Structures are given as C-alpha cells and as structure tokens.
Amino acid sequence: MSTTASDPLATLGALPGVPEAVDSVRKAVDRVYGHRVMRRRSNEVTAEAALRGARGSAALAGADWNLEEVRRRTDFSGDGDARTVGAALRLTAEAGQLLSIWRQSPLRVLARLHLVAAGGAAPDDSVGRPRLFGESVDEPLIEAPLPGAEELAGRLEGLSQLIIAGSAAPALVAAAVVHGELLALRPFGSHNGLVARTAERIVLIGSGLDPKSICPAEVGHAEQGRAGYVAAFEGYTAGTPEGVAAWIAHCGRSVELGVRESTAVCEALQRGAA
C-alpha cells in the first residue's frame, strides 16, 4: 500500500523526527543481533529479555520489584503487586505463541491476553471481552478521558482492520500506534497497560524487527519513568503531529534501552558472569 487513504500509518512514519527514530532503532537492533553471543546462546538472551521486560511492564503498572525478586519468586498469588508481576510474566510468555493469530484476528489475541493477565482475578463474565456501558476500569496510571462503550467498539474494530490490512510503515510506528491506541481505549476492566505493552511486543516480534524477542521495550518504558511514559502518552492522545511523533520517538527510545539491556546480558554471558 502506498496511499495515505489505504495506509494511514505510512503518513505517521513521515512525521518530523520519526524517520530518525526508526533509523536509530534499526541500527541498535542490528548491533545486538550481530553480537557473537547471539550465534550460540540466543535462547538464553531471549529468556532473560522476557524476564526483564515483564519486570519493566509490572513496574509501570505499580509493582516495581527488583529483578532478583522477580527471578526468585515462584508464588505470585499473594498481594496486588505479586499478582501484577505474575500477570506480566504470564503475558510475556504468551506473546510468542500468538504471533500467527495476530495478523488474522487481533481482537481474538487481545481477548486471550486479557484472559492470561486476569488469571482468574476478575469476574468471569468480564474477562476477555471489551467493557460494556457503565463498566469501570482499574488503570490508575492513565487518567485520560475514557471512551464510552460505543466509541470503544468502533475504534477497536478500526484498529483491528488496520492490523489485518497491514502497512508499509516501519515496525516501530505500527507498534507505537497499537500500544498508544490500546492505552487510550483501555478496552478491558483491568490490566490494560500490561496488555498494551504486550501487544507492542507482539508487533515488534511479528514485524521481523525483533524476531527473537531480545529487545524488550518494556525495560525502556520503565527506565524512562512513569511520569515520562504518561507525558509521552498524553502527546499521543492530543492527536497533534508533534504529540504523535513524540510518542513514537519515546517508544523508539524504549526499544533502544531494551537493546542496551540485552547487550549487557550478551556481554555478561560472554564473560561467563551470567
């Protein structure tokens, strides 16, 4: 697709600053994929990136545990923070299994992600389906106006059609829009931030930018801080070219910080220290 009408994401890829962000991310990803450790031990790097990504996503949801606590814990059924970390870990594990379904049925994938995140913690009839009129949302970090059920249904369908149609836009642009739109919509009664960041991960993997899932953007989102995350997201919801471009750039920087984290893992593995 080449026209704005048929490929709206392509227009976003041309916003000021976005091509530079895309190029910077591509170079960073290429560097870590070229690390000598990736030739022999990529599975270990992938596993560690998943753990660190889950920790970062949980931190943004308010459960800011240190990495070693996440690593050693086996029971996540305790307090709210433990359940949040457990949900983030389950989502990260699930993401790679949903790649083949995403491009054909993204709404089915989102339903599955919410089911996995909820883990039995939400009422059965609300799990895995978009919220209905009058239903509330538990998402304390995001305070943007909540779309009503009718608007939610229409925008979710529009997002789904955009994903199914495909785009010539860079993977970073598509991932940032999916992430931002799901945060804006908050389609479920809970765990929307965790689901949105997992969807971003799915787009980055499925696009071929990060096929081995070793560039955890969630690490970078957490490293840039909750306030920075919210401020960048507010730029997205404002809908201005500058705001949307700033959100895409923020997501790009998050991927680069995830790359830096996995590069450090590669170096540690090479030294025999991890």
Side-chain angles (χ1 to χ4, degrees):
M1 300 180 189
S2 58
T3 67
T4 300
S6 60
D7 191 1
L9 293 183
T11 305
L12 303 183
L15 291 174
V18 172
E20 292 82 0
V22 168
D23 186 56
S24 184
V25 165
R26 167 51 71 188
K27 288 176 178 175
V29 171
D30 285 348
R31 282 195 298 272
V32 72
Y33 270 85
H35 197 287
R36 62 186 299 177
V37 165
M38 288 297 296
R39 293 198 296 270
R40 308 183 313 277
R41 306 178 70 177
S42 65
N43 287 345
E44 292 172 72
V45 181
T46 295
E48 190 64 22
L51 185 74
R52 295 178 186 220
R55 192 218 74 80
S57 193
L60 284 171
D64 193 1
W65 288 12
N66 67 58
L67 186 62
E68 291 313 310
E69 176 67 9
V70 178
R71 197 188 304 281
R72 74 165 188 83
R73 185 74 73 95
T74 56
D75 180 9
F76 297 95
S77 62
D79 60 20
D81 281 3
R83 291 194 296 273
T84 296
V85 174
L89 287 166
R90 291 192 300 273
L91 284 170
T92 303
E94 188 78 7
Q97 302 176 45
L98 298 171
L99 295 173
S100 63
I101 308 171
W102 175 254
R103 282 292 299 273
Q104 284 74 44
S105 184
L107 297 184
R108 180 178 160 200
V109 169
L110 293 174
R112 173 64 185 169
L113 291 177
H114 187 242
L115 179 68
V116 168
D124 289 347
D125 66 348
S126 72
V127 173
R129 64 152 174 80
R131 54 188 169 77
L132 304 176
F133 177 78
E135 290 183 335
S136 61
V137 169
D138 179 16
E139 199 67 47
L141 181 61
I142 303 301
E143 298 179 352
L146 190 67
E150 187 174 345
E151 180 184 353
L152 165 62
R155 286 174 64 178
L156 260 186
E157 181 60 28
L159 180 63
S160 173
Q161 292 305 315
L162 201 62
I163 294 164
I164 292 169
S167 173
L172 172 63
V173 174
V177 168
V178 167
H179 182 172
E181 193 67 6
L182 289 174
L183 272 187
L185 294 177
R186 281 148 288 162
F188 304 110
S190 61
H191 302 97
N192 289 289
L194 294 174
V195 168
R197 290 184 288 275
T198 305
E200 178 185 48
R201 171 184 283 266
I202 288 172
V203 175
L204 292 171
I205 300 169
S207 66
L209 177 65
D210 181 23
K212 293 184 183 293
S213 192
I214 61 166
C215 307
E218 305 96 324
V219 167
H221 286 305
E223 190 168 329
Q224 293 187 85
R226 298 178 91 201
Y229 182 74
V230 170
F233 168 67
E234 287 174 350
Y236 176 83
T237 57
T240 63
E242 297 80 10
V244 174
W247 169 249
I248 295 170
H250 183 91
C251 291
R253 179 62 180 154
S254 295
V255 175
E256 290 187 60
L257 290 169
V259 166
R260 187 177 70 179
E261 189 90 351
S262 286
T263 300
V265 170
C266 288
E267 294 294 328
L269 287 169
Q270 186 167 285
R271 293 192 307 268

